Amino acid sequence: DVKVTQSSRYLVKRTGEKVFLECVQDMDHENMFWYRQDPGLGLRLIYFSYDVKMKEKGDIPEGYSVSREKKERFSLILESASTNQTSMYLCASSQQGLANTGELFFGEGSRLTVL
Amino acid sequence: GNSVTQMEGPVTLSEEAFLTINCTYTATGYPSLFWYVQYPGEGLQLLLKATKADDKGSNKGFEATYRKETTSFHLEKGSVQVSDSAVYFCALRPIQGAQKLVFGQGTRLTINP
């Protein structure tokens, strides 16, 4: 069964802390994504990676960075967490090129609360 | 630019009712269209898709038809069940081969027994 696994389902952090959200996929997908989900705003793309060490800013990259050192792992980093980053974070992956049907495979999400 | 607009939620229906969730889009060219569903406590999963005008996507009793003349992709189901309670997202892929999707804001659906 194909799988995207996010390391933490629930996190509570304090303002100013550094936060790491980890995502691993076992489908050998080239593309990986980090989205933020907020009520009434849908999914907003934070960052996209199309290959190891390659990344592209999404719609709302401010306050976030990412790391992709291995094909299967994509990390989202909040250098200094703020209360307005309290949200649900979703990781996704997809195939690339001609094999890309447009389907994204999502993890279960990481709900982050920043106090 | 590319965008997706869904009907405002939340939507509450009784079991066996008819469901429509409206979705309209703005895109240049010929996008592919998708409906994703998010069940409570889970990530999103693909429900159905359509890649060209007049295509109908269907799955689990849900249907949606790609209407280019009205730039719409409304989701329908003839008789909903309590297990259909979820958040539904409409999305588009702007052009063939594009790597990223554009999502609507989501519509929360609750079905009461």
Side-chain angles (χ1 to χ4, degrees):
Chain A
D1 198 15
V2 296
K3 223 168 160 69
V4 177
T5 303
Q6 295 183 228
S7 56
S8 304
R9 293 295 303 273
Y10 301 95
L11 302 94
V12 179
K13 299 292 181 181
R14 297 210 174 272
T15 301
E17 280 192 80
K18 191 169 186 175
V19 181
F20 291 88
L21 300 179
E22 305 283 338
C23 175
V24 177
Q25 52 95 4
D26 65 0
M27 294 166 282
D28 201 34
H29 284 169
E30 292 85 1
N31 295 336
M32 295 189 76
F33 306 81
W34 275 106
Y35 287 92
R36 174 175 169 159
Q37 181 181 5
D38 298 289
L41 297 177
L43 270 65
R44 293 180 291 169
L45 182 63
I46 304 172
Y47 267 97
F48 160 55
S49 171
Y50 50 91
D51 201 349
V52 174
K53 297 189 186 296
M54 306 305 288
K55 63 186 179 186
E56 192 175 295
K57 291 181 180 179
D59 301 317
I60 52 164
E62 296 79 18
Y64 303 95
S65 62
V66 290
S67 172
R68 189 148 181 221
E69 297 296 320
K70 294 185 177 182
K71 187 176 185 180
E72 67 271 19
R73 188 179 298 271
F74 192 34
S75 302
L76 180 69
I77 303 152
L78 288 67
E79 293 288 343
S80 177
S82 63
T83 55
N84 63 12
Q85 293 178 308
T86 291
S87 187
M88 172 71 86
Y89 291 88
L90 292 171
C91 176
S93 71
S94 72
Q95 291 176 308
Q96 201 174 82
L98 293 176
N100 184 345
T101 62
E103 181 175 3
L104 298 182
F105 295 84
F106 283 84
E108 293 181 325
S110 298
R111 183 167 293 282
L112 172 67
T113 302
V114 182
L115 302 176
Chain B
N2 301 302
S3 66
V4 176
T5 302
Q6 294 180 230
M7 66 186 288
E8 291 278 338
V11 174
T12 303
L13 296 172
S14 297
E15 206 165 20
E16 300 183 2
F18 184 86
L19 168 71
T20 300
I21 300 178
N22 289 339
C23 171
T24 57
Y25 67 90
T26 301
T28 53
Y30 301 94
S32 298
L33 301 172
F34 304 81
W35 276 102
Y36 278 80
V37 59
Q38 183 182 33
Y39 298 107
E42 299 184 12
L44 280 72
Q45 58 185 272
L46 180 65
L47 180 60
L48 54 83
K49 69 177 184 181
T51 57
K52 60 183 188 297
D54 300 323
D55 267 3
K56 178 185 284 189
S58 61
N59 187 22
K60 299 183 180 181
F62 290 89
E63 292 183 341
T65 301
Y66 187 165
R67 302 281 188 205
K68 189 160 177 62
E69 64 276 13
T70 54
T71 61
S72 65
F73 192 54
H74 304 321
L75 183 68
E76 296 181 336
K77 187 174 185 181
S79 176
V80 292
Q81 306 300 313
V82 172
S83 57
D84 293 326
S85 298
V87 182
Y88 291 82
F89 292 90
C90 186
L92 67 82
R93 182 168 70 158
I95 57 172
Q96 183 80 11
Q99 304 301 309
K100 293 178 276 189
L101 302 187
V102 176
F103 285 88
Q105 69 268 41
T107 302
R108 181 174 296 278
L109 173 66
T110 301
I111 307 299
N112 293 322

